[in-house]
């Protein structure tokens, strides 16, 4: 019998099919997550030392985010038929963000009051200390005026060299309006920015090939540093938070998708690679460029994607919203503090502010919770020590929920603006139009510019972000 002959009754997968499966990024990321968890469990010390792998990958992507947002937003605004549409898109997006964030907080508030995961712990406040907490958690937090002023960068270029998304959006919108108002003088710059974006998205394609390695290192660090046993101590809080986040995604976001003529589960399959990267790194930042590309590929116009998705990273953190209400009330329950409905609602009002501007990076939700406790007198900040050890296990759910929420928000705003090609969206989500991943992937025709009246015409070339793979 030749070596190519299989034994009777056995089934073997063709080698080319296995190679094709292993070439898929989401499969590579899944292998990285599982391998990282195994290494962290079997060799905790070695796994904890692998943290630089995840941090390095996130740093590589982070350095590309500001220029990518700048190029996408500027070119989108400069190529629009009516600049007033930017204000309309922004207003609709912010209104959506505020409504969905409030819904997420209310759901978290209801669940934590029903389940009461902190009841019975009877923690003595005199035994609590802020020692060991991150410096950001105990630092003084800015007021609303300070938050608004922080959106204005020191210089035009400093916005592109920092790590905050909001200053980049401010500069991008202003620069885009400037090019749009300059007419022929700004046309050459707009074309140059479009060509620059092609280079940036080629670079990000190369960087994303390191995503499995980053997921491996981050997961190995999480399990190796905190251990699986950490989950046993506060399993009820972690479990109820994950289930609440799942409920919000499937029911609330699923309903939003249905109202806009689409289905959630095909969309989740469409962004499965990004979900696995977020699961491994506990951060939504690494997948921002890819999400912009995929949302344009699915049929949303470039200006809507360029404005809504980056803004959502600061204003639409649904996972963080759920975490803030559940975390704060859990700490009150653990300390034996009976919060009235009025006190809980006042905390919720504060959270509507403290949840904004938190970047989509690991630990930002914990810092936002610290800011909330600092702003209200009901629960001491030192109580954060009770959940600091398990925060990492909840950060994955926060990031995953926020990522899906921002994707759904972008499609919803595009639909309301008449800037979503529904037929194309359904075909892409069915798998009829695969997302291009190779370097030869070209622009996808059919994008319509945002306009304010019946004179809007199709024909604007789709941005090269659609070719990201």
């Amino acid at each position: 019998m030749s070596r190519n002959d299989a034994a009777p009754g056995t089934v073997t997968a063709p080698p080319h099919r296995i190679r094709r499966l292993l070439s898929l990024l989401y499969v590579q990321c899944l292998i990285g997550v599982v391998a990282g968890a195994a290494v962290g469990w079997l060799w905790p010390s070695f796994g904890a030392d692998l943290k630089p792998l995840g941090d390095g990958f996130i740093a590589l992507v982070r350095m590309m985010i500001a220029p990518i947002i700048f190029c996408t937003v500027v070119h989108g605004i400069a190529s629009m038929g009516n600049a007033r549409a930017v204000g309309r898109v922004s207003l609709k997006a912010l209104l959506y963000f505020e409504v969905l964030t409030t819904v997420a907080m209310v759901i978290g508030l209801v669940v934590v009051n029903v389940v009461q995961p902190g009841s019975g712990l009877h923690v003595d406040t005199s035994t609590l200390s802020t020692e060991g907490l991150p410096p950001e958690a105990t630092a003084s937090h800015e007021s609303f005026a300070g938050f608004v002023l922080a959106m204005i960068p020191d210089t035009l270029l400093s916005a592109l060299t920092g790590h905050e998304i909001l200053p980049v959006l401010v500069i991008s919108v202003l620069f885009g309006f400037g090019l749009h108002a300059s007419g022929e003088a700004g046309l050459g710059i707009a074309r140059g920015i479009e060509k620059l974006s092609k280079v940036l998205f080629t670079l990000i394609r190369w960087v994303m090939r390191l995503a499995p390695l980053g997921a491996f290192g981050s997961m190995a660090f999480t399990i190796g540093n905190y251990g699986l046993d950490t989950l046993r101590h506060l399993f009820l809080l972690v479990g109820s938070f994950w289930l609440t986040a799942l409920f919000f995604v499937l029911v609330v976001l699923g309903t939003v998708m249905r109202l806009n003529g689409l289905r959630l589960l095909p969309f989740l399959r469409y962004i499965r690679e990004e979900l696995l990267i977020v699961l491994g790194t506990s951060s939504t930042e690494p997948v921002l460029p890819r999400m912009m590309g995929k949302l344009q590929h699915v049929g949303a116009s470039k200006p809507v994607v360029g404005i809504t998705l980056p803004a959502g990273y600061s204003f639409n953190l649904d996972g963080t919203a759920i975490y803030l209400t559940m975390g704060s009330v859990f700490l009150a329950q653990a300390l034996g503090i009976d919060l009235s409905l009025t006190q809980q609602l006042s905390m919720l009002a504060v959270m509507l502010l403290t949840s904004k501007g938190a970047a989509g990076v690991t630990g930002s939700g914990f810092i936002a919770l610290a800011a909330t406790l600092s702003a209200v007198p009901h629960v001491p900040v030192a109580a954060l020590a009770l959940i600091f050890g398990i925060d990492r296990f909840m950060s994955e759910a926060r990031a995953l929920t926020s990522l899906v929420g921002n994707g759904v928000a972008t499609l919803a705003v595009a639909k309301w603006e008449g800037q979503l090609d529904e037929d194309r969206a359904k075909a892409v989500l069915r798998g009829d139009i695969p997302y291009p991943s190779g370097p030869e992937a070209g622009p996808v025709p059919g994008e319509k510019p945002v306009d304010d009246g019946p004179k809007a015409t199709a024909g604007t070339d789709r941005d090269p972000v659609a070719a990201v793979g």
Side-chain angles (χ1 to χ4, degrees):
M1 184 173 66
S2 68
R3 62 180 182 179
N4 294 326
D5 295 332
T10 62
V11 178
T12 58
H16 70 275
R17 185 175 298 177
I18 296 177
R19 286 195 300 269
R20 182 180 179 185
L21 189 64
L22 292 177
S23 69
L24 298 176
L25 184 60
Y26 75 89
V27 174
Q28 297 172 6
C29 289
L30 180 60
I31 294 174
V33 169
V34 174
V39 169
W41 178 47
L42 296 174
W43 303 285
S45 178
F46 177 67
D49 291 338
L50 294 177
K51 187 174 185 290
L53 292 179
D55 292 346
F57 169 70
I58 294 176
L60 280 173
V61 178
R62 183 181 292 175
M63 74 177 183
M64 306 290 296
I65 288 178
I68 284 176
I69 291 177
F70 178 80
C71 290
T72 303
V73 175
V74 168
H75 184 260
I77 294 176
S79 61
M80 286 193 310
N82 193 326
R84 288 180 299 174
V86 176
R88 190 175 62 240
V89 171
S90 301
L91 183 61
K92 290 180 179 180
L94 291 176
L95 179 62
Y96 175 94
F97 294 161
E98 209 58 42
V99 171
L100 265 290
T101 299
T102 304
V103 170
M105 288 183 175
V106 170
I107 291 175
L109 205 60
V110 171
V111 171
V112 75
N113 278 282
V114 172
V115 179
Q116 297 191 350
S119 297
L121 291 181
H122 305 296
V123 177
D124 185 0
T125 55
S126 63
T127 63
L128 299 176
S129 172
T130 58
E131 184 179 355
L133 294 178
E136 297 86 352
T138 55
S140 59
H141 298 280
E142 59 188 4
S143 62
F144 177 75
F147 169 75
V148 173
L149 290 176
M151 295 169 56
I152 305 174
D154 295 332
T155 66
L156 182 68
L157 294 180
S158 65
L160 302 179
T161 58
H163 297 307
E164 299 295 331
I165 291 178
L166 290 179
V168 181
L169 278 176
V170 171
I171 292 299
S172 302
V173 171
L174 290 176
F175 201 84
F177 275 125
L179 290 182
H180 188 276
S182 299
E184 199 69 29
L187 189 60
I189 298 177
R191 289 173 177 170
I193 290 177
E194 181 182 11
K195 293 177 180 178
L196 175 61
S197 67
K198 293 182 180 181
V199 177
L200 293 175
F201 279 103
T202 298
L203 295 178
I204 204 67
R205 266 204 307 272
W206 296 346
V207 172
M208 291 310 298
R209 289 301 173 188
L210 299 175
L213 187 62
F216 168 77
S218 294
M219 187 58 67
F221 163 75
T222 300
I223 303 301
N225 192 58
Y226 299 113
L228 292 174
D229 290 339
T230 310
L231 288 175
R232 298 177 185 174
H233 297 289
L234 298 172
F235 175 77
L236 189 57
L237 173 62
V238 175
S240 59
F241 175 70
W242 272 86
L243 290 176
T244 304
L246 183 64
F247 172 83
F248 178 82
V249 169
L250 296 180
V251 177
V252 178
L253 298 182
T255 301
V256 174
M257 288 288 282
R258 281 287 187 180
L259 292 175
N260 289 282
L262 301 174
R263 294 170 55 210
L264 179 67
L265 293 182
F267 178 68
L268 295 180
R269 286 195 298 268
Y270 178 61
I271 62 170
R272 59 187 180 271
E273 295 176 354
E274 290 70 32
L275 292 174
L276 282 169
I277 293 172
V278 170
L279 178 64
T281 61
S282 298
S283 172
T284 57
E285 275 196 334
V287 299
L288 175 56
R290 284 181 60 90
M291 283 295 292
M292 295 176 76
K294 283 200 167 183
L295 288 170
Q296 289 189 55
H297 180 73
V298 86
S301 70
K302 176 177 55 183
V304 173
V305 173
I307 294 172
T308 306
L309 187 63
Y313 265 56
S314 290
F315 291 101
N316 188 43
L317 302 175
D318 297 327
T320 300
I322 297 172
Y323 171 80
L324 290 178
T325 50
M326 295 192 68
S328 57
V329 176
F330 166 81
L331 294 176
Q333 294 171 352
L335 298 176
I337 300 174
D338 186 17
L339 295 176
S340 65
L341 178 60
T342 302
Q343 289 174 322
Q344 292 188 33
L345 291 178
S346 67
M347 292 180 67
L348 188 147
V350 173
M351 292 171 192
L352 288 174
L353 173 62
T354 55
S355 64
K356 309 306 180 188
V361 296
T362 303
S364 60
F366 187 79
I367 304 305
L369 179 58
T372 301
L373 298 183
S374 300
V376 294
H378 313 311
V379 182
V381 177
L384 289 170
L386 296 176
I387 62 174
F388 179 58
I390 61 164
D391 178 75
R392 179 79 183 201
F393 293 99
M394 292 187 283
S395 66
E396 286 94 347
R398 290 199 303 262
L400 290 169
T401 305
S402 297
L403 177 70
V404 178
N406 283 318
V408 172
T410 304
L411 294 178
V413 173
K415 173 66 182 296
W416 300 339
E417 273 293 295
Q419 297 299 314
L420 177 66
D421 188 337
E422 293 186 59
D423 293 334
R424 177 181 177 85
K426 292 176 181 178
V428 170
L429 297 184
R430 284 197 307 266
D432 296 343
I433 308 178
Y435 183 65
S437 58
E440 72 283 353
V444 182
E447 179 187 340
K448 296 186 296 182
V450 179
D451 208 328
D452 197 25
K455 294 182 181 180
T457 56
T460 302
D461 291 338
R462 182 166 293 271
D463 190 76
V465 70
V468 181

